[in-house]
Amino acid sequence: MNQEPMRAETDVLVIGSGAAGMYAAIEAARSGCQVLLADRSLIGRGGATVMAQMTVAVALGSETADHWSYHYSDTLAAGRGLCNEPLAQLLCEEGPECIRAMDDWGVGWARKDGRITQAMAPGHDRPRCVYVDFLNTGPAVSKTLRTAVNKSGGIRKAGELCIVDLLRNNGAIVGAAALHLGSGAPVILYAKATIVATGGLTRLYRRNSASANMGGDGYALALRAGASLVDMEFVQFFPIGHLAPRLIGMDPIMWDPFRYKLGGRLLNNRMEEFTQRYGVAEDGKYVITRDLGSYAILKEVEAGRGSPHGGVYLSFQHCPENALRESFGPVIDRLAANGIDLTKMPIEVAPIAHYHMGGIVADAQMQTELSGLFAAGEAVGGANGANRLSGNAITEALVFGRRAGRTAADYAKRLRTPPDHADNAHTAIALIATDAPTRNFNTAEMLQTLQKTMQDHVGALRSEAKIIAALDSIGRLINELGDTPPGDGNRFDMQRIDWFDLRNMLLVARVVAEAALARTETRGAQQREDYPRLSPDWACSQTVRLRGACIELSGGPRALAETTS
Amino acid sequence: MNESATLKIWRGLDANDGRWEIHEVPFEAGQSVLDGLRWIRANRDPTLAIRFSCINANACKECMVELDGKTVYACTARLQPREMTLAPLSNKKLLRDLVTEIAPPTERFTD
């Protein structure tokens, strides 16, 4: 079904409408630019922001004295030596302003005696995390920003746009080509400046904590357009994702707030605490960092001391019922509806893909290496190094989004003539509007195969043999995918949508696996069973570029040795 | 014997010209209707159109369908070992199968 392309022009195109994208749109509009805010789902409801359960780290000093430099020190320490320092500094230094702006817009940060409450979280030197009760941080942040977007003049919203490729003209980015899900038509969006705010890549993993639209699209778009990515091996696993019993209507990372407020005990199948075996005695408090927590749980399972579903137990049985009720009121009722009574039973938890430290190379103005292309939020690589400090993700989304909006607006205002041509527009339209017979393959099954491969072989515990097996499997899937999408090309053609998702996901999976294979050490979220120790030679970040179909890695110690010899 | 749920699903691109399709899906206590629909896509028919984003958290509000004539979120409606009838929202414009136009008019792209 061939269709004429739809077309639109704007000053600033923002791809993705989580916190980073919405803040970028608000800021660019405030600078006087026309903005087109595109998302493949509904505006401000998909992505990762809406799923945030509790903590947002920021040196407000509202209850305990604090300064952004202390937050910065904790961020660098958590990053295990790999944080991009200007980006980390920006996050910590401008965090308080953005959190106060959100407060002014009525987000409703939890307060006690008029002061914003700040909770203690693992890896922080003092209570620093603001939140909205009960487990409502993400929905409240999304709703507040949606309202602010609606109040800003100059923002045109466009949901159901699946961005397929960035448009290039003489090396600059001039917008994007998209598949309009609601009609099946190709769309050409010309923009003076384009901001990628598509979030991370958790959908590559079978067990993940974010929305189904977090398939690393922004990384693939940037790579194919000629930009570099950095730190792609560092996928953060959240140690205590919900595993069993089956729980519906709740986010799997919901146990984090419970641990912040009530401590809780992590137990193996002998009902013994075990984290002390891996160097961190918890003593009923929540102190273990995400990288060590995931490692300890997986090692305990490997030693045959796991829970029936392949995780460990998390118990709040020692907490009095009134303490549970006071801390989590309505959530206790939702748990009861799922047959869970925390005073009588532990639940089972296991590591779950949660966040990506890697991403698009950008400077502290959110400018990528390509003219006209900017990045924001989780899509940006480097601020969190090899392991993200809890609470930094929403802060990063707000701060980087605001900065990207301003920088992109400045850039757009300097361009005299709006772009109306792209070197790759015809190729992109032809791909989106492919008139191909339905091929006999199951794209949904391929997605599951990829997710299982990544979970089992490029997950929280890695080895050379596992990663090579994953690359084989990814290679077979790439061959199976072929060069043209299947389906009838009409509206909501699921096979065609899966095909475009797989095209991005398989490229990004290859990049993660190649980067993980090259890094022959254990550091932060990269846990190599065959190289179990941190190597001082590897105190460096790897960057990735695409040359034709080849993935080119640079920045590792061998590359350094080669260039200096 | 393993229990199963029978999902009777409305399919089509035109609200006046559709068909009913029946799929048996494995049933495990505690699962959601969305789990059953996702199982069908991965194991039987990838062309079945459904929409969801958050999968399980009831945050995105995209997975609204009619279950036995009542509007539900597929992610929080429990799968049951019986015949369950699934249809697109009758008060929204149909896009395909169980997918309807739920985006507010100000969020729809037109050129």
Side-chain angles (χ1 to χ4, degrees):
Chain A
M1 185 171 151
N2 253 318
Q3 297 193 35
E4 278 301 303
M6 297 160 90
R7 199 183 138 127
E9 284 96 30
T10 187
D11 295 328
V12 178
L13 167 65
V14 180
I15 306 172
S17 67
M22 287 196 282
Y23 215 134
I26 292 164
E27 213 49 42
R30 188 180 279 174
S31 305
C33 284
Q34 291 296 313
V35 178
L36 197 149
L37 176 60
D39 197 289
R40 58 165 298 162
S41 301
L42 302 178
I43 299 296
R45 292 182 187 274
T49 300
V50 74
M51 310 286 273
Q53 298 286 288
M54 188 164 157
T55 51
V56 182
V58 59
L60 276 187
S62 104
E63 289 180 310
T64 311
D66 201 356
H67 187 264
W68 70 262
S69 60
Y70 303 139
H71 181 194
Y72 179 61
S73 299
D74 288 345
T75 299
L76 297 189
R80 315 288 181 221
L82 288 196
C83 290
N84 174 318
E85 293 180 1
L87 291 179
Q89 179 175 338
L90 177 69
L91 188 166
C92 299
E93 197 172 2
E94 295 195 354
E97 266 173 49
C98 291
I99 294 307
R100 288 200 189 96
M102 293 295 291
D103 196 47
D104 293 342
W105 291 339
V107 71
W109 301 126
R111 280 183 150 79
K112 200 173 169 190
D113 305 327
R115 287 166 186 261
I116 294 176
T117 314
Q118 295 192 272
M120 187 71 196
H124 291 271
D125 72 343
R126 67 197 69 204
R128 183 174 288 137
C129 294
V130 303
Y131 57 93
V132 180
D133 268 322
F134 292 96
L135 317 192
N136 210 29
T137 296
V141 167
S142 292
K143 184 168 181 240
T144 303
L145 288 169
R146 283 202 304 273
T147 306
V149 162
N150 292 341
K151 284 186 184 161
S152 310
I155 302 177
R156 179 177 166 191
K157 295 176 286 181
E160 297 180 351
L161 281 183
C162 171
I163 306 294
V164 167
D165 273 309
L166 296 174
L167 293 176
R168 295 187 308 270
N169 195 35
N170 288 327
I173 299 303
V174 293
L179 166 65
H180 181 232
L181 304 180
S183 66
V187 179
I188 291 292
L189 303 166
Y190 282 116
K192 291 178 177 172
T194 301
I195 301 174
V196 173
T198 46
L201 49 62
T202 36
R203 193 191 182 192
L204 295 184
Y205 292 86
R206 185 173 62 80
R207 278 176 45 71
N208 72 66
S209 66
S211 302
N213 44 21
M214 303 278 287
D217 352 1
Y219 307 136
L221 293 173
L223 261 189
R224 284 197 298 266
S228 303
L229 308 179
V230 66
D231 290 338
M232 289 301 286
E233 61 272 41
F234 296 110
V235 180
Q236 181 165 73
F237 277 75
F238 177 83
I240 52 168
H242 183 80
L243 181 64
R246 186 73 173 83
L247 183 57
I248 61 174
M250 308 281 281
D251 186 288
I253 61 164
M254 60 171 291
W255 299 115
D256 218 24
F258 276 77
R259 294 214 68 195
Y260 288 130
K261 289 195 177 180
L262 301 164
R265 297 170 71 213
L266 277 175
L267 305 168
N268 62 18
N269 65 9
R270 299 173 189 166
M271 295 297 156
E272 299 163 344
E273 289 189 271
F274 59 85
T275 58
Q276 71 284 356
R277 272 194 244 272
Y278 307 93
V280 185
E282 286 220 303
D283 223 7
K285 294 196 193 75
Y286 187 20
V287 293
I288 197 162
T289 53
R290 290 185 174 168
D291 47 359
L292 292 173
S294 293
Y295 180 79
I297 292 170
L298 292 171
K299 280 291 169 191
E300 206 61 14
V301 173
E302 204 176 85
R305 295 189 292 268
S307 63
H309 291 83
V312 296
Y313 291 110
L314 175 62
S315 173
F316 297 95
Q317 284 164 277
H318 58 290
C319 299
E321 195 171 353
N322 57 7
L324 285 162
R325 171 89 29 209
E326 190 187 333
S327 301
F328 292 101
V331 184
I332 302 297
D333 298 325
R334 275 149 72 193
L335 287 169
N338 277 282
I340 295 174
D341 179 349
L342 293 176
T343 63
K344 297 200 167 58
M345 61 198 276
I347 41 100
E348 290 179 58
V349 295
I352 180 168
H354 181 53
Y355 175 87
H356 193 45
M357 273 71 77
I360 302 167
V361 171
D363 65 18
Q365 299 300 322
M366 301 298 128
Q367 168 74 58
T368 71
E369 297 159 318
L370 304 177
S371 298
L373 184 66
F374 306 84
E378 191 176 348
V380 176
N384 297 287
N387 176 55
R388 176 172 64 78
L389 188 65
S390 32
N392 270 2
I394 297 283
T395 316
E396 167 185 79
L398 300 171
V399 171
F400 290 8
R402 185 173 76 151
R403 181 59 67 98
R406 287 178 185 171
T407 311
D410 287 346
Y411 176 88
K413 284 194 261 183
R414 284 199 305 272
L415 277 194
R416 292 264 161 80
T417 35
D420 62 354
H421 173 80
D423 300 331
N424 60 332
H426 285 293
T427 322
I429 292 168
L431 185 67
I432 296 164
T434 299
D435 204 349
T438 302
R439 278 188 284 146
N440 189 23
F441 66 169
N442 187 333
T443 48
E445 187 186 16
M446 289 169 73
L447 273 162
Q448 282 195 351
T449 306
L450 173 64
Q451 289 175 323
K452 184 171 187 327
T453 298
M454 291 301 283
Q455 184 85 30
D456 294 349
H457 297 317
V458 200
L461 287 182
R462 302 166 173 177
S463 68
E464 181 176 306
K466 282 185 181 177
I467 300 169
I468 287 173
L471 282 165
D472 277 355
S473 165
I474 293 165
R476 281 195 300 276
L477 288 166
I478 289 172
N479 284 336
E480 194 180 345
L481 194 71
D483 296 327
T484 49
D488 57 27
N490 208 319
R491 55 187 180 270
F492 256 91
D493 182 334
M494 296 298 279
Q495 270 195 302
R496 185 158 293 201
I497 298 168
D498 285 347
W499 190 90
F500 281 110
D501 284 344
L502 277 163
R503 174 175 176 249
N504 291 336
M505 290 169 77
L506 287 166
L507 173 60
V508 176
R510 245 179 90 203
V511 168
V512 173
E514 295 275 9
L517 184 63
R519 181 175 287 277
T520 46
E521 67 153 355
T522 282
R523 180 186 299 265
Q526 155 99 342
Q527 302 275 341
R528 283 284 297 257
E529 293 171 289
D530 43 356
Y531 295 94
R533 267 178 271 293
L534 184 132
S535 155
D537 294 346
W538 270 106
C540 48
S541 288
Q542 301 186 90
T543 53
V544 186
R545 250 169 196 281
L546 204 56
R547 293 241 185 255
C550 291
I551 286 168
E552 199 178 84
L553 280 172
S554 53
R558 196 175 307 145
L560 283 178
E562 274 166 16
T563 51
T564 52
S565 65
Chain B
M1 199 187 99
N2 290 328
E3 280 187 301
S4 65
T6 305
L7 298 184
K8 183 178 168 191
I9 302 167
W10 193 91
R11 304 286 310 265
L13 274 161
D14 177 345
N16 300 313
D17 183 21
R19 63 184 192 280
W20 292 96
E21 230 177 61
I22 292 180
H23 288 278
E24 295 282 316
V25 308
F27 168 79
E28 215 181 286
Q31 280 186 309
S32 68
V33 168
L34 184 61
D35 291 335
L37 293 170
R38 290 168 63 215
W39 187 90
I40 293 170
R41 290 206 65 235
N43 295 281
R44 294 287 179 267
D45 184 358
T47 69
L48 171 64
I50 52 177
R51 76 187 290 163
F52 62 93
S53 149
C54 76
I55 306 172
N56 192 55
N58 197 220
C60 72
K61 314 294 182 188
E62 283 193 50
C63 64
M64 270 187 290
V65 292
E66 289 186 4
L67 166 62
D68 299 327
K70 258 181 67 183
T71 301
V72 298
Y73 292 110
C75 77
T76 53
R78 299 262 183 200
L79 195 66
Q80 289 166 0
R82 61 173 178 90
E83 181 173 293
M84 304 179 88
T85 302
L86 293 164
L89 298 177
S90 49
N91 60 345
K92 301 277 182 196
K93 189 182 143 199
L94 178 77
L95 292 177
R96 185 195 291 251
D97 301 345
L98 298 179
V99 179
T100 48
E101 193 167 59
I102 55 167
T106 55
E107 293 184 11
R108 291 178 204 154
F109 180 76
T110 47
D111 65 350

